[in-house]
Amino acid sequence: MKRFDHARRQFLQAATLGSLVSLWPDLLLAGEGQKSTTITSTFKPDVEIELFARNDKVSMMSGAATDVYRYHGQLLQGPSTTLSTMPSYLGPTLNLVQGQKVRIHFHNQLAEPCITHWHGMHVPQRMDGHPMYEIAEGGTYIYEFEVKNPAGTNWYHAHTHELTAKQVYRGLAGLIVIRDEQEQQLQLPSGEYDLPIVIQDRRFTENNQLYYRQHGMHDRMTGFLGDTILINGQINPTIPVKTRAYRLRVFNGSNSRIYKLAWEDGTPLIAIGTDGALLEKPESYPYIMLAPAERVELWVDFSGREVGSALILQSLAFHGAAPSMGMRGRMGGGMEGEAMGMMSGLAQGEQFPIAKFRIAEKVSESPQLPQTLIRMKRLTDRDVSNPDRTIPIAISMAHMSWKLNGRSFEMGNVMDIEKIPVNIIQKIRIFHESHQMHGGRGGMGGGMRGGRGGGMGMMMSMAHPIHLHGQQFQILSRQLTDQQATGGYDTVNQGFINSGWKDTVLVMPGEEVTIIKPFEDYTGLYLYHCHNLEHEDLGMMRNFLVS
Ligand code: C2O
Ligand code: CU
Ligand code: CU
């Protein structure tokens, strides 16, 4: 209850601010503010699941078991393939089919509030896992939605107010695999040849426990970086494969680490899907950048490789994503931001191996890579419903915390620029404000840098994976608008896939990304936020009001 009071307090405070719209009374009237705690008798589910968030222990290495949070699932009705277990602390994969009606009874058995969000899914607002719906220990939230998304790899995770980072870190995440007819016709590798690759970084104490520190100033600014890479929740697994083609569903489930994926032997990466769907056709990349929450589906063919040999998926070195914090003026010299990352033991942008595929068996048959994949409507400027109104998502920093459109998260308030009519296609421009501000209300990001008179001029800029709830979007353009902020851009810019359906986009320092996004079918509050989970919990999150 305390937490709800907090929201009410925000509402009361906001009521005195002119440009803000207070939504709580409206939402409560419309029923949107109400938690969904009972089933709808008219909703006839094809799939019904009980999902529990609970404490668990898993064995991750020799010695003591590791205390984790973990989703457990139980199928009440629907195809027997609906839930597949994942190793270690990951939740069961939800295998859904487009068009299915799904009911999920989510039970919070943790001694703290929790709510679950279906990342990438296009669902009604009350089913989206907004933090306003968090439930206390012992509570149940009923989700009911139809699977509207096309075939692709989405995921679900805790989205609890100010606890998302910690809860996801401790294990509250799982995959959602969606299939549809168009995809089935492609006959992509399936069954044991369709592999999830969930990449996460963690740190462990000497006693094998997950180490998480949330409140250090360094972690607040940059996000938490671990020094141990987990694949599907396991440390250093070797993945046995046959000499044939595979479909890899690679997902970055890390709190803030960005990966620059590449095959160790220089084989190009073949991408067949992005966050929300398959691509129109396969695309070849020397490397692919994968920021927190992003997914990429890869086609990899091990045909012709020697049994006993191995192929390693690695993360290559890159620069410019960690904050560059130039201490100028009196302080003289400079402290490179990436050096700050070193404190974690494995800096953002360092090179390291991710996963080892070992050729275990020779087979003679392998499917061929299709030349075309799905039909996709490419959205352009002509599709934008209101060409005169591009909505900004301005990234800035003030008072040692990151902001969106100049503000921190507020549970139930939106600004005018955050109001979007339902059933339109909207253009949104995501950019860094701190480099364009000149003193004034910029706080740290603008003000201090603008201070010409010397003193300690400080520039803070880093890469942010910006995520929007609701429907998937397309990337219209990426542009470098601030050459000064870009150290290292040439080490990442060949690795962005701009052609597919996305729900999360990495915005590098000095970069401006314009996206085009439908806001169809559902009204209510839909979040947009940085998916660096430490940033999100510290308030780098806002709501759009679709109405
Ligand atoms: Cu993974 Cu608000 O999202
Ligand atoms: Cu989401
Ligand atoms: Cu961020």
Side-chain angles (χ1 to χ4, degrees), residues 117-120 128-129 131 155-159 164 293 295 467-469 503-504 527-531 533 536 541:
H117 164 59
W118 322 99
H119 181 122
D128 194 44
W155 64 298
Y156 62 100
H157 63 83
H159 212 306
T164 298
R295 290 84 73 200
H467 168 55
L468 285 79
H469 284 219
D503 57 53
T504 306
L527 295 163
Y528 65 100
H529 59 89
C530 182
H531 223 292
L533 292 182
E536 174 185 336
M541 174 157 75

Short mmCIF file of all heavy atoms in Angstrom, two decimals, residues 117-120 128-129 131 155-159 164 293 295 467-469 503-504 527-531 533 536 541, ligand 1:
data_model
loop_
_atom_site.label_atom_id
_atom_site.label_comp_id
_atom_site.label_asym_id
_atom_site.label_seq_id
_atom_site.Cartn_x
_atom_site.Cartn_y
_atom_site.Cartn_z
N HIS A 117 5.90 -8.14 -17.25
CA HIS A 117 5.65 -7.47 -18.54
C HIS A 117 6.04 -8.40 -19.67
O HIS A 117 7.02 -9.14 -19.57
CB HIS A 117 6.49 -6.19 -18.58
CG HIS A 117 6.65 -5.59 -19.94
ND1 HIS A 117 5.59 -5.19 -20.70
CD2 HIS A 117 7.76 -5.30 -20.67
CE1 HIS A 117 6.04 -4.68 -21.85
NE2 HIS A 117 7.35 -4.75 -21.87
N TRP A 118 5.27 -8.37 -20.75
CA TRP A 118 5.52 -9.22 -21.92
C TRP A 118 6.21 -8.34 -22.95
O TRP A 118 5.54 -7.68 -23.75
CB TRP A 118 4.19 -9.81 -22.44
CG TRP A 118 3.31 -10.17 -21.27
CD1 TRP A 118 2.28 -9.43 -20.78
CD2 TRP A 118 3.45 -11.31 -20.40
NE1 TRP A 118 1.76 -10.05 -19.66
CE2 TRP A 118 2.46 -11.21 -19.41
CE3 TRP A 118 4.32 -12.42 -20.37
CZ2 TRP A 118 2.30 -12.15 -18.39
CZ3 TRP A 118 4.16 -13.35 -19.36
CH2 TRP A 118 3.17 -13.21 -18.39
N HIS A 119 7.50 -8.33 -22.92
CA HIS A 119 8.30 -7.40 -23.70
C HIS A 119 8.21 -7.71 -25.20
O HIS A 119 8.53 -8.81 -25.63
CB HIS A 119 9.76 -7.47 -23.23
CG HIS A 119 10.68 -6.53 -23.94
ND1 HIS A 119 11.43 -5.57 -23.30
CD2 HIS A 119 10.99 -6.42 -25.25
CE1 HIS A 119 12.13 -4.92 -24.19
NE2 HIS A 119 11.89 -5.41 -25.38
N GLY A 120 7.76 -6.70 -25.95
CA GLY A 120 7.64 -6.86 -27.40
C GLY A 120 6.23 -7.19 -27.85
O GLY A 120 5.92 -7.15 -29.03
N ASP A 128 -0.27 -5.23 -19.82
CA ASP A 128 1.10 -4.93 -20.26
C ASP A 128 2.12 -4.95 -19.12
O ASP A 128 3.31 -4.80 -19.34
CB ASP A 128 1.10 -3.55 -20.94
CG ASP A 128 2.38 -3.28 -21.72
OD1 ASP A 128 2.83 -4.19 -22.43
OD2 ASP A 128 2.93 -2.17 -21.59
N GLY A 129 1.66 -5.12 -17.90
CA GLY A 129 2.60 -5.19 -16.78
C GLY A 129 3.19 -3.85 -16.39
O GLY A 129 4.35 -3.77 -15.98
N PRO A 131 4.16 -0.84 -14.07
CA PRO A 131 4.46 -0.92 -12.62
C PRO A 131 3.31 -0.47 -11.72
O PRO A 131 3.28 -0.86 -10.55
CB PRO A 131 5.69 -0.02 -12.46
CG PRO A 131 5.93 0.64 -13.77
CD PRO A 131 5.19 -0.11 -14.81
N TRP A 155 10.14 -11.65 -25.01
CA TRP A 155 10.53 -12.15 -23.69
C TRP A 155 9.67 -11.53 -22.61
O TRP A 155 8.94 -10.57 -22.87
CB TRP A 155 12.02 -11.95 -23.44
CG TRP A 155 12.55 -10.54 -23.36
CD1 TRP A 155 12.54 -9.59 -24.35
CD2 TRP A 155 13.20 -9.92 -22.24
NE1 TRP A 155 13.15 -8.44 -23.91
CE2 TRP A 155 13.56 -8.61 -22.63
CE3 TRP A 155 13.53 -10.36 -20.95
CZ2 TRP A 155 14.23 -7.73 -21.77
CZ3 TRP A 155 14.19 -9.48 -20.10
CH2 TRP A 155 14.54 -8.19 -20.51
N TYR A 156 9.66 -12.12 -21.45
CA TYR A 156 8.89 -11.57 -20.34
C TYR A 156 9.82 -11.37 -19.16
O TYR A 156 10.82 -12.06 -19.01
CB TYR A 156 7.70 -12.45 -19.98
CG TYR A 156 8.02 -13.85 -19.51
CD1 TYR A 156 8.01 -14.17 -18.14
CD2 TYR A 156 8.29 -14.89 -20.42
CE1 TYR A 156 8.27 -15.46 -17.70
CE2 TYR A 156 8.56 -16.17 -19.99
CZ TYR A 156 8.55 -16.46 -18.62
OH TYR A 156 8.82 -17.73 -18.18
N HIS A 157 9.50 -10.37 -18.36
CA HIS A 157 10.37 -10.06 -17.22
C HIS A 157 9.64 -9.23 -16.19
O HIS A 157 8.59 -8.65 -16.48
CB HIS A 157 11.65 -9.36 -17.69
CG HIS A 157 11.45 -8.02 -18.36
ND1 HIS A 157 11.30 -6.85 -17.65
CD2 HIS A 157 11.37 -7.67 -19.67
CE1 HIS A 157 11.16 -5.84 -18.50
NE2 HIS A 157 11.19 -6.31 -19.74
N ALA A 158 10.21 -9.17 -15.00
CA ALA A 158 9.65 -8.33 -13.94
C ALA A 158 9.73 -6.87 -14.38
O ALA A 158 10.67 -6.47 -15.08
CB ALA A 158 10.44 -8.54 -12.65
N HIS A 159 8.74 -6.10 -14.00
CA HIS A 159 8.71 -4.66 -14.36
C HIS A 159 8.23 -3.86 -13.14
O HIS A 159 7.39 -2.97 -13.26
CB HIS A 159 7.79 -4.45 -15.56
CG HIS A 159 8.22 -3.33 -16.47
ND1 HIS A 159 8.46 -2.05 -16.02
CD2 HIS A 159 8.47 -3.32 -17.80
CE1 HIS A 159 8.81 -1.30 -17.05
NE2 HIS A 159 8.84 -2.05 -18.15
N THR A 164 12.95 -3.39 -10.95
CA THR A 164 13.11 -4.18 -12.18
C THR A 164 14.53 -4.71 -12.34
O THR A 164 14.73 -5.90 -12.60
CB THR A 164 12.71 -3.32 -13.40
OG1 THR A 164 11.33 -2.97 -13.28
CG2 THR A 164 12.90 -4.08 -14.70
N ALA A 293 17.95 -6.07 -23.98
CA ALA A 293 16.57 -6.31 -24.43
C ALA A 293 16.46 -6.61 -25.92
O ALA A 293 15.41 -7.08 -26.36
CB ALA A 293 15.62 -5.17 -24.07
N ARG A 295 16.91 -8.53 -29.50
CA ARG A 295 17.05 -9.90 -29.99
C ARG A 295 17.52 -9.86 -31.43
O ARG A 295 17.18 -8.93 -32.17
CB ARG A 295 15.72 -10.68 -29.96
CG ARG A 295 15.20 -11.01 -28.57
CD ARG A 295 14.42 -9.87 -27.94
NE ARG A 295 13.10 -9.67 -28.52
CZ ARG A 295 12.42 -8.55 -28.41
NH1 ARG A 295 12.93 -7.51 -27.75
NH2 ARG A 295 11.22 -8.44 -28.96
N HIS A 467 13.59 1.69 -25.37
CA HIS A 467 12.52 0.70 -25.63
C HIS A 467 11.16 1.36 -25.52
O HIS A 467 10.93 2.18 -24.64
CB HIS A 467 12.63 -0.43 -24.59
CG HIS A 467 11.46 -1.35 -24.54
ND1 HIS A 467 10.99 -2.02 -25.65
CD2 HIS A 467 10.65 -1.73 -23.51
CE1 HIS A 467 9.94 -2.76 -25.29
NE2 HIS A 467 9.72 -2.60 -24.01
N LEU A 468 10.26 0.99 -26.42
CA LEU A 468 8.89 1.48 -26.37
C LEU A 468 7.94 0.29 -26.24
O LEU A 468 8.06 -0.68 -26.99
CB LEU A 468 8.54 2.28 -27.64
CG LEU A 468 9.14 3.68 -27.75
CD1 LEU A 468 10.58 3.64 -28.20
CD2 LEU A 468 8.33 4.53 -28.73
N HIS A 469 7.03 0.40 -25.30
CA HIS A 469 6.02 -0.65 -25.14
C HIS A 469 5.01 -0.56 -26.29
O HIS A 469 4.93 0.43 -26.99
CB HIS A 469 5.29 -0.49 -23.80
CG HIS A 469 6.11 -0.95 -22.63
ND1 HIS A 469 5.56 -1.62 -21.57
CD2 HIS A 469 7.43 -0.82 -22.35
CE1 HIS A 469 6.51 -1.90 -20.68
NE2 HIS A 469 7.66 -1.41 -21.13
N ASP A 503 11.66 -3.21 -31.09
CA ASP A 503 11.02 -2.55 -29.95
C ASP A 503 12.05 -1.85 -29.08
O ASP A 503 11.69 -1.15 -28.13
CB ASP A 503 10.16 -3.53 -29.13
CG ASP A 503 10.94 -4.73 -28.62
OD1 ASP A 503 11.98 -4.53 -27.98
OD2 ASP A 503 10.48 -5.87 -28.84
N THR A 504 13.32 -2.06 -29.39
CA THR A 504 14.39 -1.44 -28.62
C THR A 504 15.46 -0.99 -29.61
O THR A 504 15.81 -1.75 -30.52
CB THR A 504 15.01 -2.46 -27.64
OG1 THR A 504 13.96 -3.02 -26.83
CG2 THR A 504 16.04 -1.81 -26.72
N LEU A 527 4.55 2.57 -21.66
CA LEU A 527 5.85 3.09 -21.22
C LEU A 527 6.83 3.26 -22.37
O LEU A 527 6.77 2.53 -23.36
CB LEU A 527 6.47 2.13 -20.20
CG LEU A 527 5.71 1.98 -18.89
CD1 LEU A 527 6.16 0.71 -18.16
CD2 LEU A 527 5.93 3.20 -18.01
N TYR A 528 7.71 4.21 -22.22
CA TYR A 528 8.92 4.24 -23.03
C TYR A 528 10.07 4.49 -22.07
O TYR A 528 9.93 5.26 -21.13
CB TYR A 528 8.86 5.27 -24.16
CG TYR A 528 8.77 6.73 -23.76
CD1 TYR A 528 9.90 7.54 -23.78
CD2 TYR A 528 7.56 7.32 -23.41
CE1 TYR A 528 9.83 8.89 -23.45
CE2 TYR A 528 7.48 8.66 -23.08
CZ TYR A 528 8.62 9.45 -23.10
OH TYR A 528 8.55 10.78 -22.77
N HIS A 529 11.16 3.78 -22.26
CA HIS A 529 12.23 3.91 -21.28
C HIS A 529 13.56 3.39 -21.80
O HIS A 529 13.62 2.71 -22.83
CB HIS A 529 11.87 3.17 -19.98
CG HIS A 529 11.59 1.71 -20.11
ND1 HIS A 529 12.58 0.75 -20.00
CD2 HIS A 529 10.44 1.02 -20.31
CE1 HIS A 529 12.03 -0.46 -20.12
NE2 HIS A 529 10.73 -0.33 -20.32
N CYS A 530 14.59 3.70 -21.06
CA CYS A 530 15.89 3.12 -21.34
C CYS A 530 15.88 1.70 -20.79
O CYS A 530 15.45 1.46 -19.66
CB CYS A 530 16.99 3.94 -20.68
SG CYS A 530 18.62 3.27 -21.07
N HIS A 531 16.36 0.74 -21.58
CA HIS A 531 16.39 -0.64 -21.11
C HIS A 531 17.72 -1.00 -20.46
O HIS A 531 17.99 -2.17 -20.17
CB HIS A 531 16.00 -1.63 -22.19
CG HIS A 531 15.09 -2.71 -21.71
ND1 HIS A 531 15.50 -3.68 -20.81
CD2 HIS A 531 13.79 -2.96 -21.96
CE1 HIS A 531 14.47 -4.48 -20.55
NE2 HIS A 531 13.43 -4.07 -21.23
N LEU A 533 18.79 -1.36 -17.29
CA LEU A 533 17.80 -1.49 -16.22
C LEU A 533 18.10 -0.62 -15.01
O LEU A 533 17.18 -0.21 -14.30
CB LEU A 533 17.66 -2.96 -15.81
CG LEU A 533 17.02 -3.86 -16.88
CD1 LEU A 533 16.89 -5.29 -16.36
CD2 LEU A 533 15.66 -3.33 -17.31
N GLU A 536 16.61 2.63 -15.98
CA GLU A 536 15.15 2.57 -15.88
C GLU A 536 14.69 2.75 -14.44
O GLU A 536 13.82 3.57 -14.14
CB GLU A 536 14.65 1.22 -16.43
CG GLU A 536 13.16 1.02 -16.22
CD GLU A 536 12.66 -0.36 -16.64
OE1 GLU A 536 13.31 -1.01 -17.49
OE2 GLU A 536 11.62 -0.78 -16.12
N MET A 541 12.46 6.76 -17.55
CA MET A 541 11.25 6.09 -18.06
C MET A 541 10.11 7.10 -18.00
O MET A 541 10.03 7.91 -17.09
CB MET A 541 10.95 4.86 -17.18
CG MET A 541 9.66 4.16 -17.49
SD MET A 541 9.68 2.42 -16.95
CE MET A 541 9.48 2.61 -15.20
CU1 C2O B 1 11.50 -4.97 -21.32
CU2 C2O B 1 9.36 -1.80 -20.12
O1 C2O B 1 10.42 -3.37 -20.72
#
